[in-house]
Amino acid sequence: MAIVDPIINGLNSGWLHTDGSQLKENQQFEADVVIVGTGAGGGVAAEILSQAGLSVIMIEAGQLRSSTDFNMEERVAYPNLYQQAAAMKTSDKAIGIFQGRSVGGSTTINWTTSIRTPTEALAFWEQQKSVKGLSRETLDPWFEQMEQRLNIHEWKFEPNRNNAALKQGCINLGWDYTVIKRNVAGCWNTGYCGMGCPVNAKQSMLVTTIPSALDKGAQLFSRVKVVKIEHHNGKVLALKAQALDSNSKPTSVELMFKAKHYIMSGGAIHTPVLMMRSDVPDPHKLLGKRTFLHPVLLSGAIFSDAINGHSGAPQSIYSDEFVWKNGVAGELGYKLEVPPIHPVLMASKLLGHGKEHAEAMANFNQFQLTIALVRDGYHPDSQGGQVRLTDKGFELDYPLTETFWRAARRSFASMAELQFAAGAMKVMPVSDGMPYFTSWKDAKEGIEQMTLAPLKTVVASAHVMGGCPFGEDEKLSMVDSYGQSHYLENLSVMDGSIFPTSLGANPQLSIYGITARNATALAQKLTDGREPQ
C-alpha cells in the first residue's frame, strides 16, 4: 500500500515554506498572528486561527521532516528529531529529558498516549492557583473536539507483551488499569513512534493541523530561531530571529517578524527562556519558576517468554492505582506505564553498568520495563525546578527532595510487586548497584534498604510543564486563564508552560484541548472584537 506523504505533496502544491538555512539576506515578514513553535500548542493554534481567516506565520527552530526521513533507526532519529540529540539533562545531570526538536515538536516523536487533564488537577488549579473556567464540564467539549480532530480512540487491539505484563499484574493484584487512547489512524503497530511515524498514522501536528494551516495560506519557517521579543509600553512590536544552518548553528541572516498578535508555543523550557531573555515584565519573578517534570523511575524484569518491547504500540495500558491515593496535596503519587524498549535507548539511558547491564542486554528480548511517573507540584515539598539563563543559553535546576525519594521507594516496590504478579522470573530496580531479585519478598526487603540518590538512581522524563503559569492572580501567574499575558496586550502563551503544576497524566491532550479553547477565544477577539465570556 502506498504511503501518502502530506508534507511532500503539500510542498509540491505550493505551500509557503521557508527553510532558514537557504536564506542569504536579512528580511522582514508580517501577518495577523505569528506563532513561535509548532508543537501541540502551536499546531492547534495555527489551524484554528487560519480557519478563522487570519494570516498566520509559524516559526520553528527545528527542521521540516516527513515520513520519507523516518527510517526507524535510533542513530538517525535521536540527533535529528530530539533536543540536544536526546541527551538533555538537568543542571546536576541527575535527570535525562526527552523533548522533540522538529516541525511538529514533541508530537512528532511521542508515544501517542492521549489522556484528558485529571479532574483532581483542574480542581487544584481552581482552588489554589486562581485558574478560572476550566472545570470538567467546561473543558470536556474541547477535549471531545480535539479527540475527533486527531482520531484519538481507545486502542482496540491486544496490547503488546510489554503492556500486557502491566495489565496482567494489575488484574492479579486487583489494581486499577485503563486501556490508553491513542491519536492514530491506520496504525501499522510497528512500535517505532519515538522515531517519527514512517507511515503517517500518528496524528501528530506534522500531518494534521500544520498541513491544514498551510492549506489555508499560513506560512511556515523552519530552522529559524526567535531570539528576542521586542516590546515597549505594554505591547509587543516585533520578534527578532536568526536563521540556522543545516547543523542548526546561527547564520549571519537576521529576520524580523511583525504581527497584530504573538503566540509563544515553544514549550515549557524555551517559552520562559525566550521571555526572560527579552526582559518581558515579570514583577513577581515567576518566569522559569515552578517548572515541572514527571520524574520517572524504572524497574526492569526478566520474563521466561519473549517480551519484544520494541514491537507493537509502545503504550496501550496504564494504571492510576497510586496517582491520587494519598490525596492531591499528600505524599506524591505516581502513574504506572511502560515505555518502548529499543537497544540504543536501553543501553544508553536506562541501565547502569557492569554485569547487571550485560545481563539485561543479553536478555533484551525477554526484558520488560515498567515506569512510574511521579506527580510533582501539589505537595508543599515538591515545588519542581527552575529554568535559568546562563552565558551559554539556559539550564534547568531540578532538585530531587526527600519527599520525591519517598515516592521513588514506594514506586519501586509497587513496580516490583506488579512485575512478579505478572510472572517475572526476576526484577531489578534501575539504580546503580542493585541486583536482580528472584522473589517479591526479597525485592520488598531490598527496596526498603536500597540507597536512592541523584546520579545513582536513574531518573528520566519526557514531560516538561510550567514556568509561565496561567491564572487570574498576578502574584501566581504570568498569563490569564485564556493564555493572554497580564502585561503585554498582544501576547499569548499556548503550550505546557502555562500549567501551574504537573498533571499526573501524559500532557499532549491537555495542551490540545486547552489551546483549542484559548485559540478559539483569541480568533473571536481578533476577527470581531468579542472578548471571552
Side-chain angles (χ1 to χ4, degrees):
M1 183 171 68
I3 300 171
V4 176
D5 191 327
I7 303 301
I8 298 298
N9 290 348
L11 292 173
N12 290 337
S13 72
W15 279 352
L16 298 176
H17 168 243
T18 300
D19 182 339
S21 68
Q22 303 302 308
L23 295 176
K24 304 299 180 186
E25 57 185 20
N26 299 345
Q27 297 182 54
Q28 180 173 307
F29 302 90
E30 293 189 30
D32 291 326
V33 183
V34 172
I35 302 172
V36 181
T38 59
V44 170
E47 179 177 56
I48 289 173
L49 294 163
S50 298
Q51 289 177 340
L54 296 161
S55 60
V56 172
I57 289 176
M58 298 173 277
I59 307 174
E60 170 61 52
Q63 298 182 44
L64 175 61
R65 302 279 187 176
S66 79
S67 54
T68 307
D69 303 302
F70 303 151
N71 64 3
M72 302 196 296
E73 291 192 23
E74 290 178 278
R75 65 186 176 93
V76 175
Y78 299 146
N80 285 344
L81 300 176
Y82 286 72
Q83 296 281 352
Q84 300 179 20
M88 182 188 294
K89 291 183 180 294
T90 50
S91 56
D92 63 357
K93 315 300 182 188
I95 309 176
I97 302 171
F98 300 92
Q99 278 196 302
R101 190 175 192 270
S102 68
V103 173
S106 292
T107 73
T108 301
I109 47 87
N110 72 18
W111 302 334
T112 75
T113 297
S114 303
I115 302 171
R116 296 185 185 187
T117 315
T119 301
E120 293 87 346
L122 296 176
F124 187 85
W125 295 352
E126 179 180 13
Q127 295 162 8
Q128 303 292 329
K129 300 299 177 184
S130 75
V131 176
K132 289 187 177 179
L134 292 182
S135 66
R136 181 83 284 147
E137 293 73 22
T138 58
L139 200 51
D140 275 355
W142 296 105
F143 287 136
E144 290 168 8
Q145 175 181 314
M146 294 311 300
E147 287 166 353
Q148 183 174 6
R149 170 68 182 95
L150 300 175
N151 286 293
I152 293 173
H153 302 288
E154 187 176 282
W155 183 241
K156 296 180 179 178
F157 303 94
E158 284 295 313
N160 70 3
R161 185 68 180 90
N162 197 24
N163 283 272
L166 173 59
K167 177 181 176 180
Q168 192 60 52
C170 288
I171 291 173
N172 291 348
L173 292 167
W175 291 359
D176 163 89
Y177 76 91
T178 301
V179 178
I180 286 175
K181 290 182 177 180
R182 307 181 66 223
N183 56 321
V184 295
C187 179
W188 288 23
N189 210 14
T190 63
Y192 284 73
C193 305
M195 281 150 247
C197 182
V199 298
N200 293 313
K202 184 197 301 186
Q203 303 292 281
S204 70
M205 301 301 95
L206 181 64
V207 300
T208 55
T209 58
I210 292 172
S212 171
L214 291 167
D215 285 341
K216 287 288 185 182
Q219 189 169 5
L220 171 65
F221 289 81
S222 62
R223 287 200 275 216
V224 171
K225 180 180 180 180
V226 176
V227 295
K228 189 174 183 181
I229 302 168
E230 302 281 4
H231 58 92
H232 184 66
N233 282 344
K235 190 172 183 178
V236 178
L237 304 177
L239 301 181
K240 184 179 178 181
Q242 279 186 309
L244 306 179
D245 65 18
S246 58
N247 296 314
S248 298
K249 302 296 183 184
T251 70
S252 61
V253 176
E254 294 184 347
L255 306 175
M256 191 72 77
F257 295 91
K258 293 190 174 183
K260 296 176 184 174
H261 202 92
Y262 302 82
I263 298 176
M264 300 295 112
S265 298
I269 290 179
H270 293 94
T271 288
V273 163
L274 175 58
M275 294 174 76
M276 284 189 286
R277 195 164 57 215
S278 304
D279 290 324
V280 303
D282 180 18
H284 301 289
K285 305 302 178 188
L286 298 174
L287 277 175
K289 306 279 181 58
R290 289 182 61 82
T291 297
F292 294 104
L293 306 171
H294 288 136
V296 171
L297 292 310
L298 310 98
S299 183
I302 304 294
F303 281 69
S304 59
D305 60 323
I307 296 295
N308 292 329
H310 59 281
S311 178
Q315 292 187 320
S316 56
I317 303 290
Y318 69 79
S319 173
D320 276 354
E321 178 72 18
F322 301 99
V323 180
W324 309 100
K325 211 174 188 68
N326 297 305
V328 174
E331 287 291 296
L332 308 189
Y334 44 90
K335 192 181 193 73
L336 300 179
E337 298 179 347
V338 306
I341 305 173
H342 295 282
V344 174
L345 184 69
M346 180 172 168
S348 63
K349 307 294 184 185
L350 304 183
L351 300 173
H353 56 273
K355 65 179 183 180
E356 290 86 5
H357 179 92
E359 183 175 358
M361 295 307 294
N363 290 285
F364 177 78
N365 287 332
Q366 282 73 47
F367 193 80
Q368 196 273 341
L369 193 65
T370 299
I371 57 177
L373 293 72
V374 177
R375 174 176 59 81
D376 226 347
Y378 300 84
H379 188 286
D381 294 331
S382 67
Q383 298 300 305
Q386 180 176 353
V387 175
R388 298 192 182 95
L389 298 180
T390 68
D391 293 339
K392 296 181 179 179
F394 67 89
E395 65 177 11
L396 171 58
D397 179 33
Y398 206 98
L400 294 172
T401 64
E402 285 303 313
T403 304
F404 166 77
W405 290 117
R406 290 199 299 272
R409 192 180 303 278
R410 293 195 302 274
S411 74
F412 276 129
S414 298
M415 291 189 285
E417 184 177 12
L418 181 138
Q419 288 168 315
F420 280 118
M425 295 190 298
K426 46 189 176 182
V427 171
M428 178 181 68
V430 181
S431 187
D432 189 39
M434 290 303 290
Y436 278 104
F437 297 102
T438 57
S439 71
W440 161 230
K441 177 178 179 295
D442 289 345
K444 185 178 182 181
E445 292 175 358
I447 290 168
E448 287 176 354
Q449 301 300 320
M450 70 186 288
T451 300
L452 298 166
L455 303 176
K456 179 179 182 66
T457 305
V458 175
V459 184
S461 183
H463 304 158
V464 189
M465 299 151 280
C468 185
F470 66 168
E472 302 305 312
D473 185 343
E474 294 184 8
K475 293 180 180 177
L476 299 174
S477 60
M478 285 295 296
V479 298
D480 70 16
S481 301
Y482 279 92
Q484 164 68 51
S485 169
H486 288 313
Y487 310 106
L488 298 171
E489 65 181 62
N490 57 343
L491 176 73
S492 295
V493 177
M494 298 187 187
D495 58 25
S497 70
I498 63 174
F499 298 150
T501 64
S502 74
L503 300 174
N506 305 51
Q508 73 162 336
L509 182 53
S510 291
I511 300 173
Y512 294 146
I514 293 172
T515 295
R517 167 189 182 268
N518 293 354
T520 299
L522 177 61
Q524 292 173 348
K525 179 179 178 181
L526 293 177
T527 53
D528 61 19
R530 281 185 291 164
E531 294 287 344
Q533 298 299 311

